[in-house]
Amino acid sequence: MEVNHKACDRNGRMWGDISDTYETIQENVTMQSSMILYSLTRAKDSHKICEVGAGWGLASRMFISDMMKEDSYYFASDISEKMNDKFKEGFAKSDCSLNKKTEYNWLEDSDKIDVIDKVSKWDESIRKKIFHHKANNECLPYTEESFDCYLASL
């Protein structure tokens, strides 16, 4: 499949432009629908989770804290650099970052991410492994069948 990189860049800029007000919108409008999404997709029962268009990560943090099973990994991405920055900031200030059994890792841009390699390099005391990176959901950098749950709220 051919990816329209010009359109992807435009979408990334558009989401970046609204990134400063998006958390308020999400908090007021989409939190309930995000929790329903996590329940209906059986994300809470999954161990290998991929979420695209994660935005600020407010719903992601709630899922990680309250619904995500131990011994699971979660890959979150967004096409917007500003949204990814907001996700990082929010995670660092959240209760998730205080949990010694949960660890967050920013992944630098990559055309290919070896999910199994990333997951296997973590300390065994870590029960929830969170990976975050910039990605276009039209051409994700993972090998097929890396996940048992794929989430996209948009």
Side-chain angles (χ1 to χ4, degrees):
M1 177 170 89
E2 190 171 321
V3 176
N4 182 338
H5 293 286
K6 187 182 263 188
C8 292
D9 289 344
R10 182 182 64 243
N11 288 340
R13 285 190 307 276
M14 187 243 354
W15 282 106
D17 290 346
I18 66 165
S19 66
D20 289 331
T21 58
Y22 186 74
E23 186 172 38
T24 303
I25 295 166
Q26 184 181 27
E27 188 171 39
N28 294 329
V29 178
T30 64
M31 283 309 300
Q32 184 176 8
S33 61
S34 294
M35 293 300 111
I36 292 169
L37 172 71
Y38 294 134
S39 294
L40 292 178
T41 58
R42 298 190 179 112
K44 63 185 171 72
D45 299 321
S46 299
H47 290 279
K48 302 179 283 185
I49 304 153
C50 173
E51 182 166 18
V52 299
W56 276 68
L58 179 60
S60 303
R61 293 189 301 274
M62 288 181 67
F63 170 74
I64 292 163
S65 289
D66 301 332
M67 298 174 83
M68 186 174 165
K69 289 178 155 296
E70 288 196 353
D71 300 321
S72 297
Y73 58 84
Y74 175 87
F75 280 74
S77 65
D78 200 279
I79 196 169
S80 165
E81 286 184 41
K82 284 186 179 181
M83 287 290 195
N84 286 316
D85 289 341
K86 299 287 186 182
F87 187 111
K88 288 184 232 180
E89 291 168 18
F91 196 93
K93 294 176 184 176
S94 74
D95 290 343
C96 291
S97 69
L98 301 175
N99 185 337
K100 294 188 185 307
K101 292 183 177 183
T102 301
E103 192 156 332
Y104 169 89
N105 190 33
W106 170 256
L107 303 175
E108 292 300 323
D109 288 342
S110 175
D111 291 338
K112 185 171 181 167
I113 295 174
D114 184 338
V115 172
I116 301 304
D117 180 59
K118 295 290 182 200
V119 172
S120 65
K121 291 182 179 179
W122 288 71
D123 183 319
E124 295 210 11
S125 66
I126 303 300
R127 309 314 292 181
K128 295 179 182 181
K129 302 168 185 178
I130 315 305
F131 300 90
H132 178 218
H133 62 100
K134 181 179 178 187
N136 173 353
N137 69 348
E138 292 184 27
C139 55
L140 293 171
Y142 318 116
T143 56
E144 288 187 34
E145 300 182 23
S146 296
F147 304 99
D148 56 15
C149 183
Y150 175 88
L151 301 167
S153 59
L154 296 176

